[in-house]
């Protein structure tokens, strides 16, 4: 594995594991944070990845590994965007230059990579539930010395799963610590004298030892029971809110609440963590941090610097590729076309769960802010919210990344498809997405949507097809309509075209042939076309090529033609082969007593690692070479 060049740091060079960190004095921790932040800036500037979020958690990461006995104690991160410092401190600093690269270290923490990575965290909002499960497990197994900490950002708190976990944590016996990494809300009022006094008191070891002994005595005397104990916690939280002159959602729960405090004061943070470490019962520690902390351009524009690409670590200049005369991103075609459609159709509204820039919904937000909604990290809500608007006569375009749509599956069935509501579900990042790896590959959508009644399921081969499918989807009486398309650039420089209706359920014959038929779905059909041309030139084959366009309803007339004409069929799709488009073709052939030899090209039955899309296509036999080899067999 490739190793990064070692920069000389006075402390960071001596830290290979958290055990090395714990040998330092508390007074040395600010220097460790400074060097760790410098290392993240240096590495990500030349090997792009997620940036601003990890800069904001440097002090928290150092304090956690300093106070807790990791990996025996469990730290559960919510979304790996904020965990680069964690990786560097847990034995992966020399390999960090391979982060997100093919065969390099993984883009997000994973237990398969390191014992310090306690759970999968590519998607948001699962940390509290997973950590609660670990805390309960430790209790049941008699591991009373094992501590469990969930680190969740305020963005992830908008996900429903976070609140389900929080609700359960308030009623299940556990000693879980939940750290709310709040990088947005102001904490100016928390510096008042009474508030600071209460905070110092309630986090001190001496106070909590006396409190525990008193509660145990009152339990023995029969004065205190579990319900009264919970009521006292709620009362204590209320007193804290009065002192702080602000309220928070945790006040009414049976969870002890501390904060908010400055998440960049590493010495104080380490003290607080040490003081509350052994408290009994669930606890919430609220931190205020700055996303992009320590790198001025990222502090000023954390959204842009979430994943900025390569940049100059000294000047902050971002290195951009000249895209003149290049095909556009599918995302930009979506955004521009949505605005164009909305200008003509006043019923159109846009919905996205926290990805307005990534999916280009931002274009509608800027053009018609009252008709576009960012609902936060809440995919299930996005789908049901869209269903509610559709029920009352609007035409929602709900744009959700394909892998995140998995979290809204029941909502699509129950709240959209069942009622045949006219919601257009635009699945961005469909197919293999590249460096973000297995948690983000959008490869399951065809297989999981294909069985749902009332859905139309489509995929455009190019930008013109995307525009026309979007136009078709918002026409009257189309019902629930799914359009899947990949991350990245299309194939047409001249991508604007007249908007016209595409007959639902009708594919296209792209070229005639006599030896075999290739059936493709979506943009990967362009790679298939290259392989077909090569096979015809090299081997003298005659290959027909069909663009299926719609998996549901499927073009039965076209499939009858193929079944009656060809004994060899190759299907090509950017999705799982089990249950995908190729499976739909096989089912049709079997149902109508056609017996061709069908070879299916797509993602095999395994989770695919990270790497560039080209590398992963090659790995799966989905690139030109892989398709060509199947055609000439």
């Amino acid at each position: 594995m490739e190793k990064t060049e070692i920069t000389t740091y006075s402390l960071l060079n001596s830290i290979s594991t958290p055990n090395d960190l714990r040998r330092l004095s508390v007074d040395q921790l600010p220097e460790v944070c400074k060097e760790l932040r410098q290392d993240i800036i240096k590495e990500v500037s030349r090997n792009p990845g997620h940036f601003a979020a990890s800069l904001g958690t440097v002090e928290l990461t150092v304090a956690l590994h300093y106070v807790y006995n990791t990996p025996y104690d469990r730290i559960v991160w919510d979304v790996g965007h904020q965990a680069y410092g964690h990786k560097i401190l847990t034995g992966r600093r020399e390999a960090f230059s391979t982060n997100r690269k093919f065969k390099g270290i993984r883009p997000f923490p994973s237990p398969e990579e390191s014992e310090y990575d306690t759970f999968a965290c590519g998607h948001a909002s699962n940390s509290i539930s997973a950590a609660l499960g670990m805390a309960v497990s430790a209790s049941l197994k008699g591991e009373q010395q094992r501590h469990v900490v969930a680190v969740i950002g305020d963005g992830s708190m908008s996900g429903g799963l976070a609140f389900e976990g929080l609700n359960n944590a308030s009623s299940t016996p556990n000693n879980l610590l939940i750290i709310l990494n709040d990088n947005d809300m102001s904490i100016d009022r928390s510096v008042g004298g009474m508030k600071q006094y209460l905070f110092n008191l309630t986090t001190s070891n001496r106070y909590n030892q006396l409190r525990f002994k008193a509660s145990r005595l009152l339990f023995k005397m029969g004065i205190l029971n579990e319900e009264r104990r919970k009521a006292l916690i709620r009362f204590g939280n209320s007193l804290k809110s009065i002192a702080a002159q602000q309220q928070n959602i945790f006040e009414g729960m049976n969870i002890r609440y501390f904060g908010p405090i400055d998440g960049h004061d590493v010495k104080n943070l380490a003290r607080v963590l040490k003081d509350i470490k052994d408290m009994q019962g669930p606890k919430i520690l609220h931190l205020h941090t700055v996303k992009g902390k320590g790198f001025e351009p990222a502090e000023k524009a954390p959204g842009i610097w979430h994943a900025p690409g390569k940049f100059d670590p000294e000047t902050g200049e971002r290195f951009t590729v000249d895209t003149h005369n290049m095909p556009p991103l599918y995302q930009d075609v979506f955004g521009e076309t949505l605005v164009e459609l909305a200008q003509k159709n006043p019923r159109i509204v846009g919905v996205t769960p926290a990805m307005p820039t990534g999916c280009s919904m931002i274009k509608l937000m800027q053009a018609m802010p009252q008709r576009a909604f960012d609902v936060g990290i809440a995919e299930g809500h996005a789908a049901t919210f869209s269903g509610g608007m559709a029920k009352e006569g609007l035409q929602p375009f709900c744009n959700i990344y394909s892998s995140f749509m998995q979290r809204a599956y029941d909502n699509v069935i129950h709240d959209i498809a069942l009622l045949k509501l006219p919601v257009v579900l635009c699945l961005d990042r469909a197919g293999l997405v590249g460096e973000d790896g297995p948690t983000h590959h959008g490869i399951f959508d065809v297989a999981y949507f294909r069985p749902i009644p009332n859905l139309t399921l489509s995929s455009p081969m190019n930008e013109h097809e995307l525009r026309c499918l979007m136009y078709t989807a918002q026409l009257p009486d189309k019902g629930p309509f799914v359009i899947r398309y990949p991350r990245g650039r299309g194939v047409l420089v001249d991508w604007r075209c007249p908007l016209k209706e595409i007959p639902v359920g009708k594919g296209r014959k792209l070229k005639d042939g006599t030896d075999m038929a290739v059936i493709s779905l979506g943009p990967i059909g362009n790679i298939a076309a290259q392989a077909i041309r090569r096979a015809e030139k090299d081997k003298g084959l005659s290959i027909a090529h069909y663009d299926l366009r719609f998996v549901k309803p499927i073009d039965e007339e076209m499939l009858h033609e193929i079944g009656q004409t060809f004994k060899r069929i190759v299907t090509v799709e950017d999705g799982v082969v089990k249950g995908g488009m190729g499976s739909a073709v096989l089912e049709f052939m079997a149902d109508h007593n056609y017996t061709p030899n069908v070879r299916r090209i797509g993602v095999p039955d395994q989770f695919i690692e990270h790497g560039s899309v080209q590398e992963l296509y090659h790995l799966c036999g989905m690139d030109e070479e892989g398709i060509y080899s199947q055609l000439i067999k």
Side-chain angles (χ1 to χ4, degrees):
M1 186 179 287
E2 180 184 347
K3 293 184 178 182
T4 184
E5 66 178 73
I6 300 298
T7 301
T8 301
Y9 296 113
S10 62
L11 294 176
L12 193 59
N13 280 359
S14 66
I15 300 172
S16 297
T17 70
N19 279 333
D20 299 321
L21 174 67
R22 290 190 279 269
R23 294 189 184 101
L24 302 178
S25 69
V26 171
D27 290 335
Q28 291 175 296
L29 297 187
E31 178 63 25
V32 173
C33 294
K34 177 182 176 182
E35 295 177 6
L36 181 58
R37 186 169 275 113
Q38 290 174 345
D39 204 48
I40 293 171
I41 293 170
K42 179 196 72 172
E43 291 292 349
V44 180
S45 70
R46 57 193 185 187
N47 179 31
H50 296 101
F51 183 62
S54 283
L55 290 186
T57 57
V58 165
E59 286 78 12
L60 172 59
T61 302
V62 170
L64 283 170
H65 283 296
Y66 187 74
V67 172
Y68 287 91
N69 180 30
T70 55
Y72 178 77
D73 289 338
R74 308 301 198 198
I75 299 173
V76 184
W77 294 95
D78 204 296
V79 186
H81 300 158
Q82 55 187 346
Y84 282 3
H86 161 81
K87 288 189 176 192
I88 291 170
L89 291 177
T90 54
R92 286 164 280 185
R93 182 174 165 234
E94 289 188 31
F96 195 68
S97 62
T98 70
N99 186 46
R100 295 166 55 87
K101 293 181 179 178
F102 189 55
K103 301 300 180 184
I105 63 175
R106 296 168 184 248
F108 302 101
S110 169
E112 295 181 347
E113 180 175 280
S114 171
E115 62 181 339
Y116 291 94
D117 299 350
T118 59
F119 209 74
C121 58
H123 293 186
S125 309
N126 69 338
S127 61
I128 296 175
S129 296
L132 178 60
M134 293 179 182
V136 170
S137 175
S139 177
L140 292 175
K141 291 163 64 178
E143 297 170 334
Q144 305 304 329
Q145 300 306 309
R146 171 167 282 164
H147 300 86
V148 182
V149 181
V151 182
I152 186 166
D154 54 346
S156 296
M157 281 301 298
S158 67
L161 181 61
F163 288 94
E164 292 176 27
L166 201 62
N167 180 63
N168 194 200
S170 72
S171 59
T172 301
N174 68 87
N175 295 321
L176 176 64
L177 171 61
I178 300 166
I179 295 180
L180 175 58
N181 174 34
D182 175 357
N183 53 29
D184 192 28
M185 304 175 195
S186 172
I187 60 164
D188 290 346
R189 285 175 295 183
S190 69
V191 297
M194 178 59 74
K195 172 63 181 176
Q196 194 59 49
Y197 169 77
L198 284 174
F199 182 80
N200 289 337
L201 171 66
T202 56
T203 59
S204 73
N205 266 330
R206 188 172 184 180
Y207 165 81
N208 281 286
Q209 287 172 4
L210 288 171
R211 184 177 178 277
F212 176 71
K213 290 178 180 178
S215 66
R216 190 169 55 181
L217 177 62
L218 292 173
F219 261 103
K220 287 182 179 179
M221 296 172 63
I223 297 174
L224 188 64
N225 57 28
E226 186 62 22
E227 285 304 312
R228 289 172 181 167
R229 185 189 69 83
K230 292 178 179 179
L232 284 174
I233 290 175
R234 292 193 294 271
F235 178 69
N237 286 342
S238 297
L239 286 179
K240 292 175 190 177
S241 72
I242 292 171
Q245 299 178 21
Q246 59 188 17
Q247 293 181 321
N248 66 71
I249 197 170
F250 312 111
E251 291 166 14
M253 294 187 170
N254 306 311
I255 301 176
R256 298 192 67 188
Y257 171 83
F258 304 99
I261 66 169
D262 181 0
H264 296 302
D265 183 346
V266 67
K267 293 168 66 174
N268 184 55
L269 188 51
R271 178 194 68 79
V272 171
L273 288 172
K274 184 178 179 182
D275 285 347
I276 68 175
K277 178 179 177 181
D278 294 316
M279 286 185 190
Q280 299 298 300
K283 304 162 287 291
I284 289 175
L285 176 60
H286 184 176
L287 309 182
H288 174 63
T289 61
V290 176
K291 196 170 184 179
K293 177 70 174 179
F295 192 72
E296 187 175 354
E299 290 188 29
K300 290 181 176 178
I304 294 173
W305 287 85
H306 173 69
K310 292 185 178 181
F311 61 92
D312 186 324
E314 299 297 326
T315 66
E317 178 188 0
R318 295 171 63 209
F319 303 136
T320 57
V321 177
D322 182 7
T323 59
H324 184 64
N325 286 330
M326 292 178 66
L329 299 171
Y330 278 102
Q331 289 69 38
D332 289 340
V333 175
F334 162 81
E336 296 283 354
T337 304
L338 183 60
V339 172
E340 188 176 338
L341 291 171
Q343 288 169 342
K344 298 175 181 178
N345 183 347
R347 297 186 305 111
I348 287 178
V349 291
V351 178
T352 182
M355 295 296 176
T357 302
C359 78
S360 289
M361 186 71 73
I362 191 71
K363 295 179 185 296
L364 182 64
M365 290 179 169
Q366 292 168 343
M368 306 174 193
Q370 74 281 8
R371 291 169 61 185
F373 305 90
D374 178 357
V375 301
I377 301 176
E379 292 82 7
H381 166 67
T384 302
F385 174 57
S386 298
M389 288 192 289
K391 177 65 172 60
E392 296 303 316
L394 296 182
Q395 175 64 74
F397 276 73
C398 180
N399 191 306
I400 301 179
Y401 290 5
S402 173
S403 66
F404 298 161
M405 179 59 82
Q406 295 158 191
R407 298 151 68 95
Y409 190 57
D410 177 64
N411 304 78
V412 172
I413 294 173
H414 186 273
D415 302 329
I416 295 175
L418 189 65
L419 298 178
K420 301 181 184 179
L421 295 173
V423 176
V424 185
L425 297 169
C426 297
L427 304 192
D428 197 340
R429 270 69 167 174
L432 293 169
V433 297
E435 290 82 359
D436 279 341
T439 59
H440 282 61
H441 294 319
I443 56 178
F444 301 107
D445 50 60
V446 172
Y448 65 63
F449 274 145
R450 201 162 64 83
I452 302 176
N454 299 333
L455 279 186
T456 294
L457 178 53
S458 67
S459 185
M461 187 172 172
N462 57 38
E463 299 94 312
H464 289 173
E465 289 281 297
L466 173 57
R467 282 172 55 79
C468 291
L469 283 171
M470 290 177 65
Y471 172 78
T472 301
Q474 53 90 52
L475 294 174
D477 302 319
K478 297 303 180 187
F481 203 112
V482 177
I483 307 172
R484 73 185 304 265
Y485 54 89
R487 177 187 187 187
R489 297 192 178 277
V491 294
L492 302 173
V493 175
D494 184 15
W495 60 273
R496 292 189 185 274
C497 66
L499 296 172
K500 60 183 181 181
E501 181 176 2
I502 294 176
V504 173
K506 299 301 293 183
R508 303 183 296 165
K509 181 193 284 188
L510 302 177
K511 68 178 295 293
D512 284 313
T514 57
D515 294 324
M516 73 180 76
V518 171
I519 306 173
S520 61
L521 178 71
I524 199 170
N526 297 293
I527 300 175
Q530 296 169 2
I532 289 169
R533 288 192 290 269
R534 179 179 166 190
E536 290 186 326
K537 179 181 177 182
D538 292 352
K539 302 298 180 180
L541 296 171
S542 175
I543 304 173
H545 187 189
Y546 297 84
D547 171 24
L548 193 59
R549 263 188 184 152
F550 295 91
V551 182
K552 186 171 189 169
I554 205 161
D555 191 338
E556 295 193 357
E557 181 180 355
M558 190 171 80
L559 291 182
H560 275 301
E561 174 188 317
I562 295 170
Q564 292 166 4
T565 307
F566 299 97
K567 291 298 181 184
R568 291 188 61 200
I569 299 173
V570 176
T571 65
V572 184
E573 59 191 305
D574 191 358
V576 291
V577 293
K578 286 189 177 295
M581 179 270 287
S583 294
V585 171
L586 279 172
E587 290 169 13
F588 178 88
M589 296 299 166
D591 290 345
H592 295 87
N593 298 314
Y594 298 120
T595 58
N597 182 336
V598 180
R599 291 182 180 270
R600 293 175 294 158
I601 297 174
V603 178
D605 187 24
Q606 63 190 71
F607 288 106
I608 306 302
E609 59 190 289
H610 61 283
S612 70
V613 171
Q614 292 74 23
E615 288 168 327
L616 301 184
Y617 273 8
H618 183 71
L619 180 70
C620 297
M622 296 162 53
D623 59 352
E624 181 184 333
E625 186 66 35
I627 297 171
Y628 171 80
S629 67
Q630 291 295 326
L631 296 180
I632 65 174
K633 277 187 179 179

